[in-house]
Amino acid sequence: MTLSVALGPDTQEGTRTGTEEATDSLTAPDIPWNLVIWNDPVNLMSYVSYVFQSYFGYSESKANKLMMEVHKKGRSIVAHGSKEQVERHAVAMHGFGLWATVEKASGGPGGNSGKSGGPGQGKGKRG
Amino acid sequence: MAKAFKYGLKGITGYLEPAERELLRSLIDDVISMLQPQERDGQDPLAALIGLDMDVAEPTDRAVRRLLPNVVKDDGAASLEFRQLTERSLRETKIGALRAAALDLDKDEIVLTTEGAKHWSMALNDVRLVLAERLDIRDEEDAEHVHLMQDWSQAEDVESYLALVYNFATWLQESLVQAMLQSLETRR
C-alpha cells in the first residue's frame, strides 16, 4: 500500500528538465526495466531458488537456472517490466535479503536490450 | 541439540534446545534494534504514517547497508530517492518477520505455517547477513574459511564464537528452506 502511494507517477516533478529518466518514466511507461540479482557469499543457493519459485512463481528448473547464473556469473536478470514493477520486485527482494538492483533494459553491462522499438527510444542515458 | 526442520503432516516442524532459542532470540533482538527507524524531532507524522522519510540517508553501518541496499548500482542520488519512499516500510517488513520468528521461540517444538516459515527464513537470512558482515565474509573463500569452524570447544575468541553461531544459523536455515521447497512441491 505504501509503495503504490509512494511510487505514483505524479510524485515525479517535471521541473528537472534535461533529466531523461524522469521524463521517460512519465511519458513512456513501456520502456523495459530489468530486475538484477547479484551474487553474494551468504545467501544459500536453496534459499535464492525458493525465493524465485515462491515470489515470481517460476518453475523449479527456471528458478535453479537463474540462481546458478547469479552464482556463476555474479548477476542475473530475473525479471523485466515497467520501472514501477521492477522497483516493487526490488523491495520484495530486499525484504528477503537478496541483493537486488534495477536498471534500464537498454543500459548497463550485460543488460540485454530486448526489442524496445517504440518511438523516441533511441536516446542513450548519457548524452 | 537442535533437530533439523522437516516437512510433514503438521506442516514444517523443528526443535531447538532452550540455550539455542535464547541465542537466536538475542541475535534477532540485535537485528531488530539495528533496523528500528530512528525517531527524529520535527518529523512529519503523516509522512511517517504512509512510510515516507525525506531525511533518510544511506546507512553508514555496513551490515545495515547490506540489509537495506541501494536499489540502483552506482547511482547514490536515485537510490536515495528510492529510500525516501520505501526504506521505512522495508525496515518494518523485516522487523515484522523477525518479531514473528522470535514469538515462535517460546516453545521447544516449532510448528510453522507457510507464512510462518517464510518469516523464519527471512529472519534467519537477515541474522546471517549481519553475522557475515561482522565476520568480514566478502567472497566464497571467506565463507569456506568460516564454514570450517565447527567445533564449539575451539571457540576461544569472539570471532570463532561468531563463526560457530553463523554456521549454526546457516545449518538451521538450510534445513528450513529444504522443508519449504518440499512443501512448495507438494502444493503444486
Side-chain angles (χ1 to χ4, degrees):
Chain A
M1 189 187 80
T2 302
L3 207 61
S4 58
V5 173
L7 295 176
D10 50 7
T11 57
Q12 295 253 19
E13 303 275 334
T15 48
R16 295 180 304 158
T17 45
T19 55
E20 283 185 19
E21 263 175 282
T23 320
D24 283 351
S25 60
L26 272 178
T27 57
D30 54 332
I31 288 181
W33 281 65
N34 294 331
L35 176 74
V36 181
I37 301 293
W38 299 83
N39 188 38
D40 77 67
V42 178
N43 285 326
L44 298 169
M45 290 158 86
S46 55
Y47 180 63
V48 175
S49 177
Y50 162 79
V51 171
F52 291 171
Q53 290 180 54
S54 67
Y55 177 80
F56 294 109
Y58 292 161
S59 68
E60 189 185 353
S61 65
K62 181 171 182 180
N64 285 340
K65 186 176 156 277
L66 291 170
M67 177 274 290
M68 284 313 290
E69 196 172 285
V70 173
H71 186 65
K72 293 206 164 126
K73 294 186 181 161
R75 55 167 265 161
S76 173
I77 295 164
V78 303
H80 311 269
S82 68
K83 186 164 183 269
E84 282 74 20
Q85 283 169 332
V86 294
E87 282 180 342
R88 200 164 57 237
H89 293 328
V91 174
M93 292 301 108
H94 292 172
F96 282 108
L98 303 201
W99 183 17
T101 59
V102 300
E103 64 182 26
K104 251 188 219 170
S106 50
N112 54 355
S113 56
K115 288 160 281 181
S116 49
Q121 287 197 2
K123 291 180 282 184
K125 192 173 162 187
R126 276 155 241 236
Chain B
M1 187 61 191
K3 287 183 196 147
F5 280 102
K6 58 175 191 283
Y7 174 64
L9 289 174
K10 279 200 285 184
I12 293 171
T13 53
Y15 172 86
L16 294 168
E17 295 285 345
E20 293 162 337
R21 289 187 275 130
E22 217 31 67
L23 171 66
L24 278 178
R25 203 191 309 271
S26 76
L27 290 168
I28 286 174
D29 284 348
D30 283 350
V31 179
I32 289 175
S33 70
M34 292 165 69
L35 286 167
Q36 212 83 258
Q38 284 145 13
E39 297 303 332
R40 295 180 216 88
D41 293 338
Q43 205 164 16
D44 181 347
L46 181 61
L49 194 68
I50 61 169
L52 291 180
D53 186 356
M54 304 320 278
D55 301 325
V56 76
E58 190 177 323
T60 48
D61 182 284
R62 268 208 325 228
V64 181
R65 209 157 57 217
R66 180 59 190 83
L67 295 175
L68 312 165
N70 279 344
V71 80
V72 186
K73 202 165 189 291
D74 305 324
D75 190 341
S79 293
L80 187 65
E81 199 175 331
F82 193 69
R83 272 182 201 283
Q84 293 170 340
L85 306 175
T86 59
E87 192 185 284
R88 182 174 276 266
S89 68
L90 178 58
R91 284 175 186 265
E92 280 161 9
T93 302
K94 285 178 175 286
I95 290 172
L98 288 154
R99 286 216 175 110
L103 275 179
D104 290 324
L105 286 169
D106 287 343
K107 294 194 199 120
D108 292 351
E109 196 190 20
I110 299 157
V111 183
L112 300 173
T113 60
T114 305
E115 196 63 11
K118 185 179 133 187
H119 289 147
W120 261 79
S121 67
M122 292 163 84
L124 284 172
N125 207 68
D126 281 348
V127 163
R128 291 180 59 245
L129 286 172
V130 170
L131 287 168
E133 283 299 334
R134 302 293 180 243
L135 283 161
D136 248 347
I137 299 178
R138 298 270 160 264
D139 52 32
E140 313 287 338
E141 208 176 303
D142 297 337
E144 276 303 305
H145 179 72
V146 167
H147 188 69
L148 292 175
M149 188 73 190
Q150 296 285 353
D151 183 355
W152 284 88
S153 65
Q154 286 173 18
E156 287 158 349
D157 50 25
V158 175
E159 196 180 330
S160 54
Y161 176 75
L162 281 182
L164 285 159
V165 171
Y166 176 80
N167 289 335
F168 170 67
T170 302
W171 171 80
L172 198 61
Q173 193 195 10
E174 180 66 51
S175 86
L176 174 63
V177 174
Q178 291 303 335
M180 290 164 80
L181 286 167
Q182 262 186 50
S183 148
L184 206 60
E185 205 169 304
T186 312
R187 280 183 284 131
R188 268 178 186 156

